[in-house]
Amino acid sequence: MVRLPLYWLSAVTALALAAPHVARQADTYPCTDGVFILAARGADSNMVSPIGVDPNYQDLEGLENIANAVIQHVGKGSYYRALPYAASIQPGVDFVNIGGGVDKAQSIIKDYVSRCKNPRIVLLGYSTGAQVMTSTLIGGQLRGNLDAYKQYITAGALFGDPSFTLGYEPLDAGNSTTTGASARSASDATYFNNNYGSKVRNYCQDKDAACANGGLGDEAVAIHLAAVKVYGQDAINFLNSVIH
Ligand SMILES: *[C@@H]1O[C@H](CO)[C@@H](O)[C@H](O)[C@H]1NC(C)=O
């Protein structure tokens, strides 16, 4: 199978999405004494515009298992929501699509903090969704960062982030020895690590097609697709250790 750069995810994720479509969640974010978890899936083959919402946005590709484990651990009315964003990469316009997701995540976070008295927010992201969450925090795609809100970001776990940047610990996790296809600048990666390294883990396995820029071969794609499964338990242990 021929896989085109920027578009290869579409070919593989379409197969994984044969599951029946779940009922659409209410895109409301009630205040909770527990944690509010916002999770972003990876891109699929639906050619949704940057301001649109992917019809599969609630199929979280395994992130829901992590969210549910954290909800069980924290209790107190904790809940999760899937980020309603385009979840789409199209050749040449992935930059604006990711930016559309950043706009949505930042506005949901700002609104939640402004309304709620003890905001504790946990971010999860896989693949393009991980890049969206990274850009949401540090201000990618020409958006501002969330510096004024960082005390309300309690924890996060990202998997297979194409913007994974090697050499920033403790943020970096997994055993990748290479940087991602859309790696951050040194100043952005330093900002991310300095401000979120104690509470966010960015998991990348060696040879992953996206986060390790491992190419589009079958092994690299398989590693990318397995990221949440491979690192999920480690992420649950980490999240539960930093959320009090
Ligand atoms: C990287 O870690 C994964 C998951 O633990 C493991 O399966 C894989 O063999 C490791 N790869 C290398 C090159 O060490």
Side-chain angles (χ1 to χ4, degrees):
M1 178 165 64
V2 175
R3 296 190 182 100
L4 302 172
L6 294 180
Y7 190 57
W8 60 273
L9 272 173
S10 307
V12 287
T13 54
L15 299 173
L17 289 170
H21 189 60
V22 289
R24 192 183 162 101
Q25 73 185 18
D27 290 327
T28 55
Y29 312 95
C31 299
T32 175
D33 291 331
V35 292
F36 160 44
I37 303 168
L38 188 61
R41 58 161 293 132
D44 68 14
S45 58
N46 290 292
M47 292 296 198
V48 176
S49 87
I51 56 165
V53 177
D54 188 284
N56 297 314
Y57 78 102
Q58 290 180 65
D59 295 328
L60 286 171
E61 303 176 296
L63 297 177
E64 60 272 61
N65 299 329
I66 297 168
N68 282 326
V70 170
I71 289 166
Q72 283 232 321
H73 172 79
V74 180
K76 298 181 186 167
S78 298
Y79 67 94
Y80 76 87
R81 291 285 185 268
L83 179 67
Y85 86 113
S88 170
I89 45 173
Q90 303 168 37
V93 296
D94 65 316
F95 187 89
V96 285
N97 274 287
I98 290 167
V102 172
D103 290 340
K104 286 181 173 143
Q106 289 191 340
S107 81
I108 289 167
I109 291 165
K110 289 176 181 178
D111 170 69
Y112 185 83
V113 169
S114 74
R115 282 185 294 109
C116 300
K117 68 175 192 295
N118 179 26
R120 292 192 295 161
I121 299 168
V122 175
L123 301 179
L124 301 176
Y126 168 61
S127 195
T128 298
Q131 187 171 357
V132 165
M133 290 310 192
T134 298
S135 287
T136 293
L137 294 175
I138 74 173
Q141 280 67 42
L142 305 178
R143 271 65 179 179
N145 65 32
L146 277 187
D147 212 59
Y149 295 81
K150 67 187 174 199
Q151 67 267 42
Y152 307 116
I153 307 299
T154 300
L158 309 172
F159 306 86
D161 178 355
S163 69
F164 176 86
T165 310
L166 188 70
Y168 293 85
E169 291 178 356
L171 179 70
D172 288 354
N175 57 8
S176 179
T177 55
T178 49
T179 230
S182 306
R184 306 286 170 174
S185 68
S187 64
D188 282 354
T190 299
Y191 171 83
F192 194 17
N193 190 42
N194 285 350
N195 287 279
Y196 295 98
S198 63
K199 51 191 181 181
V200 174
R201 286 291 172 273
N202 198 355
Y203 292 97
C204 184
Q205 186 178 322
D206 196 38
K207 298 189 171 64
D208 181 299
C211 67
N213 203 10
L216 304 176
D218 288 347
E219 188 198 357
V221 171
I223 287 172
H224 184 65
L225 290 175
V228 176
K229 187 176 274 184
V230 167
Y231 292 115
Q233 189 57 51
D234 192 278
I236 290 166
N237 296 344
F238 171 74
L239 293 168
N240 287 347
S241 76
V242 295
I243 304 168
H244 301 290

